Amino acid sequence: MAMKGQGRTGLFRGVSRPPRQRRASQTSRSPVTGVIYAWDMVSDTLTWGPGAAEAFGLPSRDLPKTGQAFSQLVEPGYGLSRQDTIGAAEGLGGAYETRYALRFEPDRVVMVEDAGRWQPDVQGRPAFTRGQLRLDPVSGARDLLPVVLKQRSELLCSIQNGINEALRASQTCTLIVGVLDTDEADSMADIARKLRPMMRRHDCFTVLGSHRFALTLTCCPASDASSAMRRLAGLMKDLPTASTLHLGAACAPDHTFKATKLLRFAEQALALGLERGEACKLYDARPKAPSPAAEQASFDWVAALNSRSLTLACQPMVEAQSRAPALMQACASLTRSDDDPILLGPVPRLKEANLALLVDGRMLELAADHLNDHPTARLALPISAKTLQDAEWLPMLAAHLGARPGIESRLVIEVPEAALAECRKILGRLHAMKALGIGLSLTGFGAGYVSPGQLRMLPVDLLKIDGVFIQPLKRSTDDRLAVRTLIDRAQHLGIATAAEWVDDESTARLLAAWGVDYLQGRLFGEPETVLQPSTLHQMLKKARG
């Protein structure tokens, strides 16, 4: 029997297990088969993990950078989008899972599985999400597409050809989308016959559904789009359902040069017209003024730092085999009146200061005080990539450890894998942190930022597998293979492993059987506020009157 080492500083003890042969997948290629993303819903910033451009078949510059830009790729009517699923999942523990279609080109549609977890703001509204997008390229085969999607693809190809021809001739193209809001819709053949008088040689009529149609008009500028919609409505006035007709339009090149966007803009105009009760609506390309709610930050971090109202919340991490508590996972929080913590998400960026360093510094102070007051406690404290890159972090860490001798062996600093994308610049700081006697944990393990060769050079004691791979384990064969590969890789290097987002017993048993050393998730306890001595003193003083 081979006994795995205790990590590179003896902080973590592995369990006894037979050695495994290394698999072919442990070479330079990452086991990740999906695409990792993080979405800040407050700023609408969308960040993609490695390999996103290749998976989508897009140039890196064309990756959607915001949630709104990504929503433009989602095909309407084919599954709930991520935002709709998160809205429907509020109050269900933060986890979400959905399947929908993405259209990258007029004739390229792919079904995707989207699963992850959202974190609320201080008002309880979804504010930050982290998840994995898994593409199913087989589903994009033309023979497997539903009839309506094939019709949309044919329409978009026709629209794109019309746009290209219009641009070559310095002309324009207008797309009108119509809907009959009734269950007794006239046949599309009758509608096409009614519209024939206004159609020219290269114009195109396409059925989008039992109650929806699209009409492409070449040589129709944006200035004539509204009158074209009124003429269309006039031609259909004799139909029994004409009173329920609503139209939306968009124009090329005034609004876009791409057919997929032109159709989406026309559908957005139609939806806005239905909402406002307008029979005809032209897409408005002018940027919309942000709402007062969007302009207002969900949380004032600077005020919380100045008032010293940030508190430390801890969630237990247990040994996988015995379920005995191993250490506590710390995070920044606020405390409600009932003493339950409000967990805080990622720290926003400020131009005038490294706010992440200030917050991480305050959390380090609270964690150091807690370890000093509780000689048997062990804490894992996460820091951001911005903090790790700041020259003030190392002196700050050394000062807190020097003021409280003996706590360094019970403190683990968690570093995100994404921070190691430039390994050479960060490696020296990691070794300097290790020289202070603390433990190091790499979080988000498996996202693909660090190659196996780079991993061998890192002085880390614990590899925490990203929860986006753990959440779908029960249903995803690909994720099971990816997680087992990550575990085998860590075992070969003699580094202990942990898994986050473990919320059910079956997943916990599965991970323990595979050799994961530590588990963290709701199954083992929710985060709880750690009361500092100053807080306890104030509570006693208040109780005594």
Side-chain angles (χ1 to χ4, degrees):
M1 298 289 285
M3 176 69 75
K4 192 176 69 169
Q6 298 182 15
R8 297 182 179 176
T9 58
L11 288 173
F12 299 96
R13 185 183 300 277
V15 297
S16 177
R17 65 179 67 89
R20 293 179 181 171
Q21 294 182 349
R22 297 183 66 195
R23 300 180 182 178
S25 59
Q26 289 183 332
T27 56
S28 60
R29 186 170 182 175
S30 169
V32 177
T33 56
V35 178
I36 306 298
Y37 66 85
W39 180 26
D40 185 335
M41 300 176 71
V42 177
S43 64
D44 199 31
T45 303
L46 187 59
T47 305
W48 296 101
E54 292 81 359
F56 292 153
L58 298 173
S60 297
R61 65 178 182 276
D62 291 342
L63 282 176
K65 304 298 191 301
T66 64
Q68 182 178 5
F70 180 79
S71 68
Q72 301 295 324
L73 300 175
V74 179
E75 277 288 282
Y78 287 89
L80 283 177
S81 68
R82 179 189 307 151
Q83 188 164 7
D84 292 338
T85 303
I86 291 173
E90 287 191 44
L92 298 179
Y96 62 89
E97 180 181 330
T98 185
R99 182 177 170 87
Y100 49 85
L102 292 179
R103 184 179 292 276
F104 298 103
E105 299 291 344
D107 58 349
R108 188 162 75 92
V109 186
V110 177
M111 295 300 297
V112 298
E113 296 178 356
D114 193 346
R117 188 161 296 195
W118 59 268
Q119 186 173 342
D121 59 13
V122 292
Q123 284 83 32
R125 300 168 302 188
F128 184 81
T129 70
R130 201 166 103 244
Q132 179 183 196
L133 201 66
R134 190 179 297 282
L135 282 72
D136 182 7
V138 177
S139 64
R142 183 171 180 80
D143 294 340
L144 300 178
L145 291 177
V147 174
V148 176
L149 275 182
K150 291 181 182 179
Q151 292 174 339
R152 284 178 69 89
S153 296
E154 293 172 356
L155 169 64
L156 288 167
C157 290
S158 174
I159 294 172
Q160 192 62 62
N161 292 334
I163 292 175
N164 296 339
E165 288 294 332
L167 291 176
R168 278 194 287 268
S170 299
Q171 295 176 345
T172 58
C173 176
T174 292
L175 175 65
I176 300 176
V177 176
V179 61
L180 295 164
D181 190 15
T182 177
D183 293 332
E184 300 178 358
D186 300 277
S187 69
M188 288 299 161
D190 293 336
I191 295 176
R193 179 175 49 81
K194 287 285 186 180
L195 300 184
R196 197 166 296 150
M198 68 179 296
M199 296 176 61
R200 301 173 183 174
R201 179 180 177 183
H202 296 291
D203 295 346
C204 178
F205 176 87
T206 305
V207 178
L208 297 179
S210 58
H211 307 290
R212 298 171 69 92
F213 63 89
L215 179 63
T216 307
L217 300 176
T218 56
C219 303
C220 180
S223 57
D224 294 341
S226 296
S227 60
M229 285 189 285
R230 288 193 295 269
R231 184 184 177 194
L232 188 157
L235 292 173
M236 293 180 59
K237 65 181 180 180
D238 295 336
L239 295 177
T241 56
S243 60
T244 67
L245 176 67
H246 288 81
L247 302 171
C251 306
D254 300 76
H255 297 144
T256 182
F257 294 96
K258 294 185 177 181
T260 52
K261 288 187 176 181
L262 190 67
L263 178 57
R264 181 57 54 86
F265 291 162
E267 290 176 330
Q268 288 178 356
L270 174 61
L272 185 60
L274 285 168
E275 180 182 338
R276 297 180 177 179
E278 301 178 25
C280 302
K281 184 66 178 177
L282 179 63
Y283 177 74
D284 186 358
R286 293 174 296 180
K288 300 176 179 60
S291 64
E295 291 181 334
Q296 184 179 5
S298 60
F299 177 65
D300 191 341
W301 286 89
V302 176
L305 284 170
N306 292 335
S307 63
R308 300 181 71 83
S309 58
L310 293 180
T311 57
L312 197 68
C314 290
Q315 185 178 28
M317 184 185 299
V318 304
E319 294 182 2
Q321 300 295 331
S322 66
R323 305 292 176 91
L327 71 162
M328 302 296 289
Q329 168 75 47
C331 59
S333 68
L334 296 177
T335 303
R336 291 196 292 248
S337 57
D338 56 2
D339 291 338
D340 286 338
I342 302 174
L343 304 184
L344 300 176
V347 181
R349 294 190 177 187
L350 292 182
K351 294 181 180 179
E352 56 271 16
N354 187 350
L355 184 58
L357 175 67
L358 300 177
V359 173
D360 288 340
R362 175 57 179 159
M363 291 300 102
L364 174 62
E365 179 185 0
L366 294 174
D369 286 341
H370 179 74
L371 291 174
N372 193 52
D373 295 333
H374 300 80
T376 61
R378 300 176 69 191
L379 283 181
L381 180 69
I383 63 171
S384 71
K386 294 290 291 181
T387 295
L388 185 62
Q389 296 165 2
D390 199 299
E392 296 184 15
W393 165 248
L394 277 175
M396 182 186 298
L397 176 62
H400 281 292
L401 296 178
R404 306 165 185 83
I407 70 169
E408 63 276 0
S409 62
R410 295 180 287 117
L411 176 64
V412 179
I413 297 297
E414 294 191 337
V415 177
E417 183 182 322
L420 306 182
E422 299 180 2
C423 188
R424 293 181 180 178
K425 294 183 178 180
I426 300 299
L427 186 59
R429 295 191 178 182
L430 295 181
H431 281 287
M433 291 165 62
K434 288 292 297 178
L436 297 174
I438 64 168
L440 281 181
S441 170
L442 189 68
T443 62
F445 179 50
Y449 290 99
V450 178
S451 69
Q454 292 172 324
L455 190 61
R456 292 187 182 93
M457 298 186 295
L458 299 179
V460 295
D461 306 283
L462 181 68
L463 297 173
K464 183 180 286 187
I465 301 171
D466 200 318
V468 298
F469 304 118
I470 304 301
Q471 179 174 303
L473 275 185
K474 292 189 294 184
R475 61 167 178 79
S476 172
T477 303
D478 291 333
D479 283 296
R480 287 196 291 271
L481 177 60
V483 170
R484 295 204 66 173
T485 303
L486 294 173
I487 296 168
D488 289 347
R489 181 178 299 169
Q491 289 177 355
H492 175 74
L493 296 174
I495 307 176
T497 54
E500 60 180 357
W501 297 9
V502 181
D503 297 337
D504 58 85
E505 184 63 33
S506 60
T507 299
R509 291 180 179 177
L510 189 65
L511 292 168
W514 289 347
V516 172
D517 299 295
Y518 302 96
L519 305 175
Q520 176 190 339
R522 292 192 179 93
L523 180 64
F524 312 106
E526 297 284 355
E528 296 183 357
T529 302
V530 174
L531 296 179
Q532 300 298 316
S534 58
T535 307
L536 289 172
H537 178 73
Q538 293 174 4
M539 292 175 61
L540 290 173
K541 185 177 180 181
K542 183 177 180 181
R544 292 170 182 170

